[in-house]
Amino acid sequence: MTLEVLTRTTAGPVSDALGELARDIARSVVLVRSGRGGSGSGVIWDQPGLVITNHHVVSASPHAELTIAGGRRVRARVVRRAPALDLAVLEVEDDSVALPDGARVGDSDRLRVGDLVLAVGNPMGERNAPSLGIVASAPEDVLRLSITLRPGNSGGALVNARGEVVGIPHMVTGSGLALAVSTRTVRRFLSGATGEPEPEQDNLRWL
Amino acid sequence: MLQGGVEPYTCSMTLSEASSGLLASLSDDLAAAVQRVGRSVVGVHGRRRFPASGLAWRADQVITASHVLERDSDLSITDTSGQHHPARLLGRDPGSDLAILRVDGAALQAVDRAPSGVLSAGNLVLAVGRPGTPEPIASFGAISSVGGAWRTSQGGVLDAYIRADVALLPGLSGGAMADVQGRVVGMLSAYLAGGDPVGIPTASIDGLVQRILSGGALRRAYLGISTQPVELQESLRARLGLAQTGGLMLLGLEPGTPADRGGLLLGDILLAIGGRTVEDGEALQMALGPEVVDTPTPIKLIRGGGVLDLTITPAPRPN
């Protein structure tokens, strides 16, 4: 299909496809509440029971409350942190809780400048709101994006056109500009190369 | 707050093949458009800080935003393979924020231009730059408006303009505003509308380039000074009733020049020229446009802790 045909006849289907993509991804995105009323987002990873978020979303406490698709709230514990990367891993405390399927994780190194990206998170408490943008510069450990994000998008999912997570948005750097931790960095973090395990906190009660 | 019991979850559906394919196709096209435009986008080095972008207009000519050139000499560009080439300023028009550079030996690929007058509000555009980076940078948005004759905030008149809500990445000024097929519709400036991105349409650029190169009405004004931006102390600003937070301190003054004859002294802090506030090198360049050449121009400055108003007649810039 030539590009002229694409732009003349497919605006509607593209718009529909974006809506479908946003709904698809939202299943794997959770609302994260932690510490003194702070909130952000988290992504159910493709490893069982793990939820990835930004360290700064859960910096105030070893525990968090997750709201998963369907409105259900579950308690989770921070099991690993890397403040320098702004990443943290949460584990749901109740083994019997079945999380929705984890997100499909893509390769952030294959991103090209101009590639479409969609961020799904909880900006300003609005649940699962998507934002559309493009990759602004060549991918590195941190991705630069031309996209409008707000507080609450932190820790959510940044996906490519195929619905694969390629980054975790964590910072707004200017009007219409944001940064996301790349999945390359998340993978390194999860493989144990960086970050520290959370000390055991069994006798602490979450209020 | 916690809910007990186990709730079974059905397997979630994945994104349909059709939708995924459509978006992937659009994504491929955007990435390809960036690369295509990028072939004609170069880095421009004309100021102390962050490089800016420029567009290859011909194999030996680059256009860029006038405001990113804080000096008239010691200019260079970086081509698409990262190689530096010296550049010579052929002329500039601050009113339309356009400058033209001559670059020899770089075999630049001239921009592929979109047909004029095709785009309108709502159409998607890409902003593409290459501020000294190996890969281009890009942002995207939609056209907000396309207009006719317009007086810019810099006192110039553009015969047409394009406004779009593209994010202004650092170094994007002087770069391309392009359609989603990778064809250039205009040059980006962040200086013509109070910080909002504006595209000068390619057809307008042709006219401006001709006027600038023919010398004519676009001479630059010359004072004979070298300056350094300085911050004004809060207490000083309060005492003198000044709104601006900075000015330009005179570090150099050439004998026999308009500045010397007009009574400027080393250590003076310039505040405004011809009514335009000057807080940095960019603003100074903007203030020294053709409209003040050979024209008595009010200059406001701080000397000895007080504000002084002088009148100086800038000369045409020597070549």
Side-chain angles (χ1 to χ4, degrees), chain B residues 20 56 60 69 72 80 88 94 115 118 120 158 165 257 268 270 277:
Chain B
S20 180
D60 62 354
L69 300 177
D72 285 1
T80 57
R88 188 161 58 89
V118 167
S120 56
L158 281 182
D165 68 344
T257 58
D268 282 345
L270 303 182
T277 306

Side-chain angles (χ1 to χ4, degrees), chain B residues 163-250:
Chain B
R163 293 182 77 146
D165 68 344
V166 290
L168 282 171
L169 298 160
L172 210 46
S173 268
M177 187 180 273
D179 63 17
V180 291
Q181 279 133 294
R183 299 175 305 188
V184 175
V185 300
M187 188 198 83
L188 273 170
S189 164
Y191 219 76
L192 291 172
D196 283 346
V198 170
I200 306 172
T202 50
S204 305
I205 293 174
D206 282 332
L208 288 166
V209 167
Q210 236 179 355
R211 276 168 47 205
I212 293 173
L213 292 183
S214 69
L218 297 173
R219 297 165 304 164
R220 302 278 304 133
Y222 172 70
L223 287 176
I225 57 177
S226 67
T227 60
Q228 163 95 22
V230 293
E231 236 181 77
L232 301 175
Q233 275 180 304
E234 181 60 53
S235 53
L236 183 70
R237 291 172 51 213
R239 188 163 54 79
L240 300 178
L242 296 175
Q244 64 196 86
T245 55
L248 291 170
M249 178 176 285
L250 242 69

Side-chain angles (χ1 to χ4, degrees), chain A residues 1 3-4 6-7 10 13-14 16-18 20-22 24 27 65 68-75 94 96-101 104 112-117 132-138 144-147 161-163 175-177 206-207, chain B residues 1-35 50 126-128 131 133 135-141 165-170 180-183:
Chain A
M1 210 191 287
L3 184 55
E4 280 92 338
L6 194 74
T7 49
T10 58
V14 164
D16 290 344
L18 288 170
E20 197 186 324
L21 177 59
D24 180 59
R27 275 179 265 272
E65 182 200 67
I68 57 185
R72 183 155 175 216
R73 300 192 192 197
V74 298
R75 190 165 119 172
D94 185 349
S96 65
V97 167
L99 286 180
D101 284 355
R104 278 166 296 135
R112 304 155 301 182
V113 177
D115 266 329
L116 219 55
V117 286
L132 181 66
I134 63 166
V135 174
S137 57
R144 275 217 302 170
L145 313 153
S146 159
I147 194 170
R162 287 176 179 77
S175 178
L177 300 170
W206 179 69
L207 297 168
Chain B
M1 276 179 275
L2 296 178
Q3 296 169 28
V6 178
E7 288 172 83
Y9 269 87
T10 54
C11 195
S12 57
M13 290 183 295
T14 54
L15 189 63
S16 72
E17 285 297 316
S19 288
S20 180
L22 190 58
L23 294 179
S25 186
L26 176 55
S27 196
D28 287 344
D29 288 334
L30 290 175
V34 168
Q35 288 303 317
F50 211 77
L126 288 164
V128 183
T133 50
E135 283 291 311
I137 60 171
S139 66
F140 105 130
D165 68 344
V166 290
L168 282 171
L169 298 160
V180 291
Q181 279 133 294
R183 299 175 305 188

Side-chain angles (χ1 to χ4, degrees), chain A residues 12 32 42-43 55 61 86 102 121-122 135 156 164 170 173 179 201-202:
Chain A
V32 177
V43 182
H55 164 75
S61 163
D86 197 16
N122 301 287
V135 174
E164 300 164 334
H170 80 129
T173 54
L179 300 178
Q201 307 264 15
D202 290 320

Side-chain angles (χ1 to χ4, degrees), chain B residues 81-128:
Chain B
S81 60
Q83 247 195 308
H84 272 260
H85 300 273
R88 188 161 58 89
L89 181 64
L90 293 181
R92 68 204 293 171
D93 173 30
S96 55
D97 200 21
L98 191 71
I100 310 169
L101 303 171
R102 168 75 184 250
V103 180
D104 290 314
L108 303 170
Q109 174 145 21
V111 295
D112 181 14
R113 298 153 64 141
S116 287
V118 167
L119 292 186
S120 56
N123 284 139
L124 293 180
V125 284
L126 288 164
V128 183

Side-chain angles (χ1 to χ4, degrees), chain A residues 43-52 89-90 99 102-103 105 186-187 190-191:
Chain A
V43 182
I44 301 171
W45 214 243
D46 62 358
Q47 280 166 244
L50 289 193
V51 173
I52 300 292
V89 185
L90 299 165
L99 286 180
V105 179
V186 177
R187 282 205 171 98
L190 289 175
S191 71

